Amino acid sequence: MNNLSNDLRDELLRNGPIRDVSIVNDPKDTFGRHFSPSCYIRYCSNGEEQDRNWLVYSKELDRVLCFWCKLFGTSSKMNRLANEELIRNEKRHWKDVLLRIVYVTRYLAEQNLAFHGKNERINVENNGNYLSLVEMIAE
């Protein structure tokens, strides 16, 4: 997108990102995962839905991209560095989440507390100690 003419850039700004919501079973990674259009929506714990209108998926690259970063990125080196930093931050985030879940599991086991409740779904009453603590971490 860095080689775009100003006219094409203006057109993209007027129309915004184009997203293919019919993506089904696109290329899978080594873990059998693939991009799902459900990632375009963020579901909040209070029931609200937020459209991630800046998020686009490139079939050619098999990557999720920030529309605005790609549109206004000035150099491929800067974009690559920004993407690498995002990947590092994402890895740190998920490592932190996993560590917190391990701590919750260890705590419940040490206290000899029940993990499950009457419900086994997040954000419902009586879902047990484990899911209640996971909800607390998520908030």
Side-chain angles (χ1 to χ4, degrees):
M1 286 187 142
N2 295 331
N3 301 330
L4 297 176
S5 69
N6 285 335
D7 290 338
L8 183 54
R9 195 173 302 235
D10 289 342
E11 184 69 23
L12 287 169
L13 282 171
R14 270 193 293 282
N15 296 328
I18 298 170
R19 300 189 283 190
D20 183 2
V21 293
S22 65
I23 301 168
V24 179
N25 297 327
D26 265 347
K28 294 184 179 181
D29 65 9
T30 55
F31 300 104
R33 299 174 300 192
H34 61 88
F35 179 76
S36 169
S38 65
C39 295
Y40 291 140
I41 305 290
R42 178 177 181 250
Y43 299 96
C44 303
S45 60
N46 65 359
E48 290 181 11
E49 295 180 5
Q50 294 178 339
D51 183 12
R52 294 175 172 152
N53 57 3
W54 50 269
L55 189 69
V56 291
Y57 172 71
S58 167
K59 284 184 180 181
E60 294 79 23
L61 299 174
D62 189 26
R63 294 211 168 178
V64 178
L65 306 168
C66 170
F67 176 76
W68 306 110
C69 296
K70 295 308 271 183
L71 186 61
F72 293 111
T74 55
S75 75
S76 60
K77 185 176 182 180
M78 287 301 292
N79 285 338
R80 191 179 81 242
L81 291 173
N83 287 340
E84 288 172 1
E85 183 62 26
L86 286 173
I87 289 169
R88 277 196 297 276
N89 287 340
E90 185 176 344
K91 285 181 180 177
R92 270 188 239 124
H93 167 74
W94 287 112
K95 183 178 180 180
D96 185 45
V97 169
L98 289 173
L99 283 174
R100 289 177 185 203
I101 289 174
V102 167
Y103 292 141
V104 166
T105 305
R106 185 177 296 154
Y107 173 79
L108 292 174
E110 287 174 355
Q111 300 298 317
N112 202 23
L113 297 173
F115 279 63
H116 62 86
K118 292 181 181 178
N119 292 311
E120 295 185 10
R121 295 179 46 204
I122 292 213
N123 295 325
V124 295
E125 285 199 31
N126 301 319
N127 61 359
N129 294 318
Y130 181 76
L131 290 179
S132 294
L133 288 170
V134 168
E135 287 173 2
M136 183 182 71
I137 289 171
E139 289 178 10

